[in-house]
Amino acid sequence: MKPAARTKRPSGFAQNPWIKRIASVIGLLFAVYICVLAYRSVFYEVVIIKPVMFCLYLSMLSLCAMALMIYSRHQLATKIASFIMLPALLPIVIMCLGKWVMIIPLALCAVVIFFASGANEGTKTLMGTIYVLVYILTALAYFIFTTYLTSTTVKKTIESGISPSEKYRYEVITTSGTNSCTTVLLEPNDKDIVKSSVIYKAKGYDRTLCVKRPLTEVKIEWREDDLYINGERWFTPEQAKKGNWFNKSVLSGLLSE
């Protein structure tokens, strides 16, 4: 009796376990990148200056990461990444709502990898249920906050500028409503993260220099890095340094708008 023929196991580059491990690590790094974007979405204002370029960049990055993670879906690093991306995406969705060129590529990748990963189906069902509840509750809390707890006054930036050294910038903001006023805000101009297609504008550093009630025209003048309002000096770099004006706490960055 002839022995049963052995099934030939696939071999080659595609079946190399080290290649799959490397691919899974790259996928995990992409999940970390989403966490970085989530941090920037909370503590920075995301200003997309070139939407098409930014969308293409995120789309290509997401497609490459998706392909690598599907290829290495049974690796531990890929399973971990599949559970990290969806909750990490939540701050991006909430804080950058409406900036779909940023949200859609990342969301598609996160959802596809969550379902395509080699994690246990029971675990995916449990985690998926938790994620849905977290998204619903967070969206509800955000809706309540923005609808009922925010001020009804209307703010408008009528003037802005940068100091001669480009270290500081100011904004003149008018507030209309029951307490109408003109406010001059100052903040550092060297803490932003500037990329070719997007600027992450630092939040939580702004400081109110003066408030004029009711609405009043103000004249802003720079003399070197000293700021004068209506001919009166209101700011010097030495004053900011001594008072630690621009040392931001975590809470101030989180609550700033």
Side-chain angles (χ1 to χ4, degrees), residues 7-254:
T7 304
K8 187 177 180 180
R9 300 180 66 181
S11 60
F13 180 83
Q15 298 301 323
N16 190 322
W18 281 104
I19 299 299
K20 290 189 176 182
R21 289 166 188 163
I22 293 173
S24 67
V25 170
I26 296 174
L28 184 59
L29 291 177
F30 180 75
V32 173
Y33 175 69
I34 293 182
C35 293
V36 172
L37 291 181
Y39 173 84
R40 291 177 180 175
S41 298
V42 173
F43 295 100
Y44 294 81
E45 178 187 354
V46 181
V47 182
I48 303 174
I49 54 178
K50 296 180 181 179
V52 176
M53 182 184 296
F54 190 54
C55 184
L56 287 175
Y57 164 72
L58 289 181
S59 298
M60 293 301 297
L61 201 62
S62 299
L63 286 174
C64 291
M66 188 190 306
L68 290 172
M69 285 190 280
I70 290 176
Y71 167 68
S72 61
R73 60 187 178 276
H74 295 294
Q75 298 295 317
L76 178 61
T78 299
K79 296 176 185 179
I80 294 174
S82 69
F83 291 129
I84 290 177
M85 289 190 292
L86 280 175
L89 190 66
L90 179 58
I92 300 175
V93 174
I94 296 297
M95 303 304 296
C96 301
L97 190 64
K99 298 174 182 177
W100 305 114
V101 295
M102 180 181 184
I103 295 174
I104 291 177
L106 300 176
L108 286 176
C109 180
V111 171
V112 169
I113 295 305
F114 178 79
F115 287 105
S117 72
N120 181 273
E121 292 300 324
T123 303
K124 287 196 287 188
T125 301
L126 175 62
M127 297 303 294
T129 303
I130 294 174
Y131 292 159
V132 169
L133 289 175
V134 169
Y135 268 76
I136 292 174
L137 292 175
T138 304
L140 180 61
Y142 181 77
F143 172 77
I144 293 174
F145 177 80
T146 55
T147 303
Y148 298 105
L149 300 182
T150 55
S151 175
T152 57
T153 58
V154 178
K155 295 183 178 181
K156 181 180 179 181
T157 300
I158 61 172
E159 184 183 343
S160 61
I162 302 174
S163 68
S165 67
E166 298 185 354
K167 290 184 178 180
Y168 306 97
R169 62 186 177 224
Y170 74 90
E171 287 186 341
V172 179
I173 300 174
T174 58
T175 303
S176 58
T178 54
N179 294 317
S180 60
C181 63
T182 302
T183 306
V184 180
L185 298 179
L186 182 75
E187 59 185 342
N189 192 46
D190 56 357
K191 297 185 181 298
D192 300 342
I193 301 174
V194 181
K195 303 295 183 180
S196 59
S197 58
V198 62
I199 297 175
Y200 301 99
K201 186 178 178 181
K203 298 191 296 185
Y205 292 98
D206 58 304
R207 185 172 181 100
T208 301
L209 288 186
C210 75
V211 179
K212 301 285 188 180
R213 290 189 174 90
L215 292 176
T216 307
E217 291 187 5
V218 295
K219 180 181 179 182
I220 305 298
E221 181 184 1
W222 288 103
R223 298 177 188 176
E224 294 184 351
D225 276 347
D226 296 350
L227 182 64
Y228 287 75
I229 302 174
N230 294 340
E232 182 181 355
R233 186 172 68 179
W234 282 78
F235 168 78
T236 65
E238 293 78 13
Q239 178 185 11
K241 185 177 181 180
K242 290 180 181 179
N244 295 322
W245 280 19
F246 302 126
N247 290 344
K248 181 182 70 171
S249 65
V250 174
L251 185 61
S252 66
L254 184 62

